[in-house]
């Protein structure tokens, strides 16, 4: 095979490359993007978030509280602050993502049991930073507060054990599930891998259909049914091959994420494959519809690229369905299949959800494919017939 390729002319090599290009897109593009974005988001722990501390009190007590912040791996502390305006400017410039202001008389109020207060500024334009900053600060202040209360109680008639029991009579023990480190990569990867599969399949499949439509346009009107059936069988085989390569590519992306980037795969791999197979069937229906609309490959490809963000933001992954406007999610479920794939991917990969729990998504995706594949075939066939009649 290598010798055959070596003996080809440049034109023949270009034609060969164009022939296999759709399969290379489906197989390699998701893998390349997984390595690229995985490397970018791979730190599992969100650490060293820069925050500022403005100590207006400058007392031993305020110093004692501030020292606790230096022990937090989540926060990176700077105290080179001289005013609240400077804090606001640094937040605006993105140099820090939060700030703590310890007011004057903080230590005096703390010693006098007058309810000493500190002010927290938080840049929540990035909610992942904001949640981590707030969680770390709350933990530190709860620890400091418990220590202060125990000292007061021990200063009375209680022994240390009794003081500790009094302080910790009622406690809230939090357990953050599925993404305990509140990391970017855990959250984003199931969504990214779903979008990679969708866009690679459209980028490869839609141009094939548009080119086929244009090829049929130029064929004689008296085309035999046997010829059409042969070509239809070839198209089915090509789409089945693309679906198989898409599943292989997703598995490769998952393996890379697990081995190189520490992503935990909790669920059953075969359930995940089942969902992807049904999803790609539904996407075939949408590819037929898109190909029936556009005459030029470039226009069809541009349109599929524009679908990336709208479909991602409206599929219930980034914004939950119950918070959408009434009726919005129902429309999305009817016109685009990503909703039935992206949430199950997240639940399988991060939560280990099984098929029984995700059955409604699977049934929904099967129904979607059962409706839209015939619609796509009908539209595609009518469009071919129409342009053939016009062309003749």
């Amino acid at each position: 095979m290598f010798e055959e390729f070596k003996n080809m002319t440049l034109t023949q090599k270009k034609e060969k490359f164009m022939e296999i290009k759709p399969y290379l897109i489906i197989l390699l593009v998701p893998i390349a993007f997984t390595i690229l974005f995985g490397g970018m988001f791979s730190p599992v722990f969100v650490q060293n978030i820069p925050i500022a501390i403005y100590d207006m009190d400058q007392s031993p007590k305020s110093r004692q509280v501030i020292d606790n912040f230096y022990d937090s791996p989540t926060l990176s502390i700077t105290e080179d602050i001289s005013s609240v305006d400077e804090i606001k400017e640094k937040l605006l410039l993105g140099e820090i993502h939060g700030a703590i202001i310890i007011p004057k008389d903080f230590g005096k109020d703390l010693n006098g049991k007058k309810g000493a207060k500190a002010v927290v500024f938080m840049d929540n334009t990035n909610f992942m930073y904001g949640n981590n900053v707030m969680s770390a600060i709350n933990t530190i202040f709860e620890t400091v507060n418990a220590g202060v209360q125990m000292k007061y109680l021990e200063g009375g008639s209680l022994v240390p054990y009794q003081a500790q029991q009094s302080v910790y009579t009622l406690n809230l023990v939090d357990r953050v599930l599925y993404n305990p480190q509140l990391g970017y990569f855990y959250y984003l990867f199931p969504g990214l891998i779903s979008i990679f599969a969708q866009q690679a399949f459209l980028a490869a499949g839609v141009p094939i259909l548009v080119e086929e439509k244009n090829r049929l346009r130029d064929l004689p009107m008296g085309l035999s049914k046997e010829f059409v059936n042969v070509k239809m069988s070839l198209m089915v085989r090509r789409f089945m091959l693309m679906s198989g390569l898409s599943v292989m590519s997703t598995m490769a992306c998952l393996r890379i994420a697990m081995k190189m980037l520490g992503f935990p795969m909790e669920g059953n791999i075969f359930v995940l494959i089942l969902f992807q197979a049904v999803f790609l069937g539904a996407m075939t229906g949408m590819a037929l519809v898109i190909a029936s609309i556009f005459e030029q490959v470039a226009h069809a490809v541009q349109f599929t690229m524009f679908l990336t963000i709208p479909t991602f933001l409206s599929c219930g992954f980034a914004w939950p369905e119950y918070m959408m406007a009434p009726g919005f999610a129902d429309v999305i479920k009817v016109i685009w299949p990503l909703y039935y794939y992206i949430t199950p991917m997240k639940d399988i990969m991060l939560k280990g959800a099984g098929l029984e729990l995700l059955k409604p998504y699977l049934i929904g995706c099967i129904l979607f494919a059962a409706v839209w594949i015939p619609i796509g075939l009908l539209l595609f066939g009518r469009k071919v017939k129409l342009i053939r009649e016009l062309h003749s």
Side-chain angles (χ1 to χ4, degrees):
M1 183 180 292
F2 180 75
E3 283 297 323
E4 182 183 352
F5 181 78
K6 191 176 177 182
N7 294 329
M8 287 180 179
T9 64
L10 183 59
T11 303
Q12 289 174 321
K13 288 178 180 177
K14 286 182 178 178
E15 289 176 353
K16 192 67 178 177
F17 175 76
M18 295 304 291
E19 185 181 329
I20 64 173
K21 189 177 76 170
Y23 309 113
L24 294 177
I25 290 174
I26 285 187
L27 185 63
L28 300 181
V29 168
I31 295 174
F33 281 169
T34 295
I35 295 172
L36 175 64
F37 290 108
M40 190 186 306
F41 299 128
S42 62
V44 174
F45 295 94
V46 179
Q47 293 181 311
N48 299 320
I49 303 174
I51 71 165
I53 295 181
Y54 181 25
D55 185 6
M56 300 173 69
D57 190 46
Q58 298 290 334
S59 67
K61 280 293 181 185
S62 66
R63 191 68 252 166
Q64 189 178 345
V65 171
I66 291 171
D67 287 344
N68 286 275
F69 283 88
Y70 283 94
D71 296 330
S72 171
T74 306
L75 306 174
S76 177
I77 309 298
T78 176
E79 294 186 66
D80 187 19
I81 299 294
S82 58
S83 69
V84 175
D85 289 338
E86 188 178 355
I87 287 176
K88 292 179 178 177
E89 183 180 350
K90 286 182 176 295
L91 284 168
L92 191 62
L93 293 173
E95 295 178 4
I96 57 175
H97 294 284
I100 302 167
I101 300 175
I102 298 180
K104 290 181 179 178
D105 298 330
F106 177 84
K108 187 178 175 182
D109 290 341
L110 198 61
N111 288 329
K113 305 177 188 178
K114 294 180 180 178
K117 294 180 181 177
V119 178
V120 176
F121 282 7
M122 190 169 58
D123 177 8
N124 222 25
T125 53
N126 183 319
F127 71 91
M128 197 69 78
Y129 272 139
N131 289 343
N132 276 280
V133 168
M134 204 65 219
S135 175
I137 291 175
N138 279 336
T139 300
I140 292 168
F141 267 95
E142 285 174 4
T143 303
V144 171
N145 188 44
V148 171
Q149 290 186 51
M150 286 177 62
K151 282 188 178 178
Y152 285 143
L153 292 172
E154 290 171 16
S157 58
L158 294 180
V159 297
Y161 174 77
Q162 291 173 318
Q164 186 176 10
Q165 290 297 105
S166 299
V167 170
Y168 293 109
T169 300
L170 177 60
N171 283 296
L172 180 65
V173 180
D174 59 349
R175 292 287 185 271
V176 180
L177 304 177
Y178 312 127
N179 185 5
Q181 292 82 20
L182 301 179
Y184 276 104
F185 189 61
Y186 280 15
Y187 169 66
L188 283 177
F189 183 61
L192 289 177
I193 200 171
S194 302
I195 285 294
F196 296 159
Q198 171 184 287
Q199 292 306 118
F201 190 79
L202 287 177
V206 171
I208 289 176
L209 291 170
V210 174
E211 289 170 355
E212 179 66 9
K213 185 176 64 176
N214 294 333
R215 190 187 68 83
L216 291 171
R217 179 192 61 194
D218 299 328
L219 292 177
M221 287 299 291
L223 200 62
S224 66
K225 288 186 177 179
E226 289 76 11
F227 181 83
V228 174
N229 288 337
V230 169
K231 288 299 178 183
M232 181 63 71
S233 174
L234 178 61
M235 291 295 292
V236 171
R237 289 200 299 272
R238 293 183 75 178
F239 268 80
M240 289 182 69
L241 175 59
M242 288 193 298
S243 299
L245 290 173
S246 179
V247 172
M248 290 173 57
S249 179
T250 298
M251 295 303 104
C253 293
L254 185 57
R255 179 59 63 179
I256 290 170
M258 293 168 64
K259 292 294 182 183
M260 296 175 58
L261 309 171
F263 183 84
M265 174 62 187
E266 301 290 345
N268 189 314
I269 200 77
F270 295 105
V271 176
L272 191 147
I273 292 173
L274 174 62
F275 268 92
Q276 182 160 0
V278 177
F279 172 68
L280 294 175
M283 287 306 303
T284 301
M286 304 318 295
L288 285 163
V289 173
I290 295 170
S292 69
I293 296 172
F294 293 95
E295 305 298 329
Q296 303 294 327
V297 170
H299 295 164
V301 171
Q302 288 171 353
F303 179 76
T304 59
M305 289 175 62
F306 285 134
L307 290 172
T308 307
I309 293 177
T311 54
F312 181 74
L313 293 180
S314 62
C315 65
F317 183 85
W319 186 251
E321 179 186 337
Y322 75 92
M323 294 184 69
M324 294 179 185
F328 182 83
D330 295 331
V331 173
I332 294 299
K333 293 173 192 175
V334 171
I335 64 173
W336 201 257
L338 188 61
Y339 167 86
Y340 302 105
Y341 177 59
I342 198 167
T343 299
M345 285 285 282
K346 179 181 65 178
D347 290 349
I348 293 168
M349 295 167 75
L350 288 179
K351 298 180 179 179
L355 186 58
E356 187 64 30
L357 189 66
L358 301 172
K359 191 183 294 181
Y361 291 98
L362 186 62
I363 294 174
C365 201
I366 292 172
L367 291 175
F368 190 100
V371 171
W372 279 100
I373 289 177
I375 291 176
L377 287 171
L378 179 64
L379 292 175
F380 189 78
R382 288 180 65 86
K383 190 61 176 289
V384 170
K385 183 180 178 182
L386 178 64
I387 61 174
R388 280 169 56 79
E389 289 174 352
L390 292 174
H391 188 67
S392 64

